[in-house]
Amino acid sequence: MSVSTAVIDPSVCAPLPVLGQDVTVPLVTGGEVTYAALDYAASAPALQRVWDDVAAYAPYYGSVHRGAGYLSQLSTDLFENSRRTVAEFLGCRADDQVVFTRSTTDSLNLLAAAIPAGCQVFVFETEHHASLLPWRDAQVTYLNAPRTPAQAVETLERALADRDPYGPALVCVTGASNVTGELWPVKELAAAAHAHGARIVLDAAQLAPHHPVDIAELDVDWVAFSGHKLYAPFGSGVLAGRSDWLLAAEPYLAGGGASRKVARRADGGVDVDWHTTAARHEAGSPNVIGVYSIASACKALTEAGFDNLVAREQELVSRVREGLAEVPEVQVLSLFGDDAPRVGVISFVVRGWNSSHFAAALSAEYGIGVRDGLFCAHPLVRTLLGSDPQDPGECGAPEAEPGERSLNAIRVSFGAGTPDEHIERFLRAVSELVSEGAQWKYRTEDGRCVPDRGTAAQV
């Protein structure tokens, strides 16, 4: 089975330098190969620029908002300047707040804790669990998966038209699917939400690393994203947007930094005056290095030219889709169809293969890292696979032995740091595995499909 050898036009944009681009990994068949990191949707490798910026700052590390010393003041300035950098990157409005969190999940749980009493929340079943699950104390309406962007808007409008028109309401929607990579009609959904008196929060975890996000232009009320998907290290995230609900809510965490004044009462109790800035929801010693790394990534992407990065990624997307289309056994998963715009996230299944077995073979025999499972979006993947919502299946865990059908899928994802060679190796590997089979035997161990190290015989 042949795979075309078309290459990406180098005049569009060169890949950005990232950490780990020269790391080699052993192959079960012998020898080593440079690792092809094609799991950007889970965690993108840190940009070299980000790592260099953090390393340069590290000797000056100090606790922010806490001291009169030079390093503390320098770190405080760095922390607050990072807040301004992120606000500019997101196109925040003048009265928006940027709150630093641990991740997208943390950001959306913070917002869930701040929504007014009696708030109605509307969420499509297609969301990542970070968007699907935080609304436990609200009245939640789960909307069925739409099959076109227009149907998404129509579905939301119908649901909002039936709601209590006098109470608060919130819509939560992804900007780009972490399963299919498809772009959602965010601006149109925001218009529908506002027309019915609701607010909207954008889960930009998969959108922000691949495409410009402008809060004012999209007219969304909040945006949430994670640093580790935006080419920064783990442990930092952002919730940016309107301040009124956040300031009316009790602090997300009670403690130092969130409080302006604490005093004992005569009756033995404590009176607390909480901050009215973003600090209200940033209790404890902030992750200044994580925050600075996000700001550095925002600057790096802006300076590289987001339009150029988008253009190159779209060539990669086309190349992967064309290559997979040449393998009849491969079925690419999609909600909105082949012509839908998308970022560098593509999920698929291979006829006759357990998805976890296929992903394990890509890793062990080709040095390619992809993701298999349900991608923390169980309802969506089950819908795309045409399975019953009650069928078994777990995020990242195989449900069948190698060679048996599974309810999981395989996800390949890439971005600003992906070399052409990684894409070509992936497509060649898919073609060879389908046409020739794996060269090694595999078994399930602790919920993962792994090479059987004691068996060198070909399957």
Side-chain angles (χ1 to χ4, degrees):
M1 186 177 298
S2 64
V3 174
S4 69
T5 57
V7 296
I8 306 303
D9 182 358
S11 66
V12 174
C13 181
L16 299 184
V18 295
L19 293 182
Q21 59 188 0
D22 298 322
V23 168
T24 59
V25 295
L27 300 180
V28 72
T29 50
E32 293 188 340
V33 67
T34 303
Y35 184 64
L38 295 178
D39 193 16
Y40 275 47
S43 291
L47 291 173
Q48 185 66 53
R49 152 76 179 275
V50 172
W51 199 254
D52 291 344
D53 284 349
V54 168
Y57 162 67
Y60 301 92
Y61 175 83
S63 186
V64 305
H65 304 146
R66 299 292 195 275
Y70 178 81
L71 296 190
S72 179
Q73 292 186 43
L74 185 149
S75 295
T76 298
D77 287 344
L78 190 80
F79 187 83
E80 294 303 333
N81 284 335
S82 295
R83 198 188 304 276
R84 286 186 281 274
T85 296
V86 172
E88 182 177 350
F89 180 76
L90 293 174
C92 287
R93 298 159 294 233
D95 56 350
D96 284 339
Q97 283 191 343
V98 172
V99 180
F100 290 117
T101 66
R102 294 174 294 179
S103 60
T104 307
T105 302
D106 197 36
S107 295
L108 293 171
N109 275 270
L110 189 165
L111 183 61
I115 60 177
C119 186
Q120 299 176 74
V121 178
F122 297 83
V123 188
F124 285 94
E125 68 170 349
T126 47
E127 292 292 310
H128 186 282
H129 295 169
S131 302
L132 196 71
L133 303 180
W135 321 104
R136 289 169 290 185
D137 296 329
Q139 177 186 336
V140 185
T141 299
Y142 294 104
L143 306 175
N144 292 334
R147 286 299 181 170
T148 66
Q151 189 179 85
V153 177
E154 294 167 1
T155 298
L156 179 62
E157 286 181 330
R158 285 196 301 271
L160 291 172
D162 292 337
R163 80 175 186 92
D164 176 0
Y166 300 105
L170 177 68
V171 176
C172 181
V173 68
T174 188
S177 171
N178 78 303
V179 177
T180 67
E182 292 165 314
L183 296 175
W184 278 63
V186 176
K187 190 170 185 177
E188 292 79 2
L189 290 168
H194 294 154
H196 290 275
R199 295 190 179 190
I200 185 168
V201 57
L202 170 63
D203 176 353
Q206 297 299 336
L207 183 63
H210 302 275
H211 198 281
V213 174
D214 190 305
I215 287 180
E217 195 274 329
L218 292 172
D219 198 22
V220 294
D221 298 282
W222 293 277
V223 165
F225 71 89
S226 296
H228 72 97
K229 299 185 192 297
L230 194 78
Y231 309 102
F234 286 101
S236 54
V238 168
L239 177 67
R242 303 199 183 279
S243 62
D244 53 349
W245 283 10
L246 298 176
L247 295 183
E250 289 294 305
Y252 185 47
L253 298 173
S259 56
R260 289 192 300 186
K261 183 173 64 175
V262 179
R264 291 292 301 275
R265 296 195 304 264
D267 63 3
V270 174
D271 286 323
V272 184
D273 183 13
W274 302 107
H275 272 295
T276 56
T277 64
R280 183 184 189 89
H281 297 291
E282 295 175 344
S285 296
N287 179 5
V288 60
I289 286 181
V291 165
Y292 181 44
S293 69
I294 287 183
S296 174
C298 291
K299 288 181 179 178
L301 293 173
T302 300
E303 291 169 6
F306 231 138
D307 288 344
N308 292 333
L309 296 174
V310 170
R312 180 175 187 273
E313 184 175 312
Q314 288 308 302
E315 288 204 10
L316 294 177
V317 169
S318 297
R319 179 72 197 93
V320 172
R321 288 180 58 80
E322 290 168 3
L324 292 178
E326 294 177 7
V327 184
E329 292 83 355
V330 170
Q331 174 193 351
V332 173
L333 305 183
S334 176
L335 267 178
F336 299 153
D338 290 342
D339 296 331
R342 65 196 72 221
V343 299
V345 179
I346 297 170
S347 295
F348 62 98
V349 293
V350 183
R351 187 168 64 249
W353 282 81
N354 172 283
S355 293
S356 295
H357 182 199
F358 199 89
L362 286 173
S363 175
E365 300 178 27
Y366 295 91
I368 298 170
V370 297
R371 179 61 60 98
D372 65 279
L374 298 176
F375 319 124
C376 295
H378 296 188
L380 171 56
V381 178
R382 287 171 177 150
T383 293
L384 294 172
L385 293 178
S387 64
D388 188 278
Q390 303 304 315
D391 282 343
E394 297 179 13
C395 206
E399 292 296 325
E401 291 297 315
E404 298 178 10
R405 179 183 180 273
S406 66
L407 293 175
N408 298 339
I410 307 151
R411 183 180 70 192
V412 56
S413 52
F414 41 88
T418 303
D420 298 0
E421 188 275 330
H422 291 184
I423 297 299
E424 296 308 317
R425 192 196 318 172
F426 165 75
L427 292 174
R428 183 177 70 254
V430 170
S431 176
E432 290 179 359
L433 285 173
V434 170
S435 62
E436 303 171 15
Q439 299 181 53
W440 211 262
K441 288 187 178 180
Y442 294 80
R443 59 189 173 84
T444 300
E445 180 180 284
D446 297 328
R448 297 300 305 165
C449 191
V450 299
D452 189 339
R453 297 289 176 176
T455 307
Q458 188 168 336
V459 175

